[in-house]
Amino acid sequence: MLQDELAAFYERNGFGPVLGERPRTVPVFTGCLLVPLPNIEVRHRYLKYHDLHHLVTGYSVGRIGEGEVSAWELGTGSAFVSPTLGLMNLIALSTGLVLRPRRMWQAFLRGTRSRNLYPAVVRAEVDAGRWHDLAELRTYCLEVKRTRPGLLLRAAEFGGYCVLAMCIHVAIAGPAVVARFFTDILMGYSVFQAVKPKKRTDLY
C-alpha cells in the first residue's frame, strides 16, 4: 500500500509522526546552515505530497536531494500551483546549486517531463487511494510529457529560477552566517574555530 511505503520512508529517515501542536519554525537547509524558518500553513498542507515526490523520484532528504526534488518540482510547475510553494522550492534549490548545479539542472529537466501531486484534485485522489502503490504512482508522475516549449526556453526558465534562488540564498544565509559567527565568538570559540567549515554528513 502507498501509505505503508510512505510510513516506511518516514521510519528510514528518522521522521516521527507529528503529534500535538505544530512547531512554529522548521529547520531548512540554506547553504552550510540549517536556518529556522516559519512553519507556515502552506508547508504543512503540501508536506505529505512533497515527501511522496521523494519516493517517486528517488531523491534523498539530504541537502543535495532536497535541492533535486525542489528542482524537479519547479520543472513540473509547482510555482504555478502555489507561489509560496515555489518560494520554498527556490530556497532548497539554492543550496543544491552551490553543491551540485548539474544535478539540479538534470532534476529540473526531468521535472518538465513529469507531473507533481500538488493540484487539489490530485491530492484528493492520493488521499482517496487512487494509486495502490508506489509503482502505480511513478507511472502517473514520471516521464509522461514531452519537454515543451523547447529546451532553450526551458534552460532560460531554469536560469531565471537560479537567479531568484541565489538572491533568496544571500538574503537568508548572509545574516544567518553573521549571526552564527558572533554567537560562536560569544561562546568562547576562536575566530579560526568560528569560520572553520563544519564537516557534514547530510549532503546526499
Side-chain angles (χ1 to χ4, degrees), residues 17-74:
V18 178
L19 301 175
E21 186 178 355
R22 193 165 73 248
R24 294 179 182 273
T25 62
V26 60
V28 175
F29 290 112
T30 306
C32 61
L33 300 174
L34 274 171
V35 178
L37 295 178
N39 191 12
I40 58 177
E41 175 59 31
V42 171
R43 178 186 179 276
H44 182 68
R45 183 189 314 149
Y46 291 113
L47 182 59
K48 169 185 173 181
Y49 312 97
H50 171 83
D51 292 337
L52 283 170
H53 289 161
H54 277 285
L55 280 171
V56 165
T57 60
Y59 298 133
S60 77
V61 296
R63 287 192 287 174
I64 293 173
E66 287 291 354
E68 285 177 310
V69 80
S70 291
W72 180 87
E73 289 180 354
L74 287 166

Side-chain angles (χ1 to χ4, degrees), residues 99-202:
L99 295 169
R100 293 289 188 275
R102 183 181 295 273
R103 283 173 58 170
M104 300 307 111
W105 163 244
Q106 291 170 343
F108 173 81
L109 203 57
R110 186 186 184 197
T112 64
R113 301 188 295 269
S114 304
R115 299 188 187 106
N116 66 58
L117 302 174
Y118 288 142
V121 172
V122 181
R123 284 185 278 126
E125 289 178 330
V126 170
D127 295 341
R130 172 182 169 185
W131 295 281
H132 180 74
D133 56 25
L134 188 56
E136 291 182 3
L137 194 61
R138 282 178 173 147
T139 299
Y140 170 79
C141 289
L142 296 178
E143 311 290 337
V144 293
K145 298 186 293 186
R146 296 181 62 184
T147 303
R148 294 177 179 175
L151 187 60
L152 288 178
L153 288 178
R154 286 300 192 183
E157 180 187 358
F158 181 69
Y161 286 140
C162 290
V163 171
L164 289 173
M166 295 315 298
C167 289
I168 293 168
H169 181 87
V170 170
I172 295 176
V177 168
V178 172
R180 191 186 71 175
F181 173 80
F182 284 107
T183 299
D184 286 352
I185 295 298
L186 290 173
M187 291 177 63
Y189 292 101
S190 68
V191 172
F192 175 77
Q193 290 173 319
V195 300
K196 182 180 178 181
K198 308 296 191 293
K199 185 177 180 180
R200 301 302 295 257
T201 60
D202 51 15

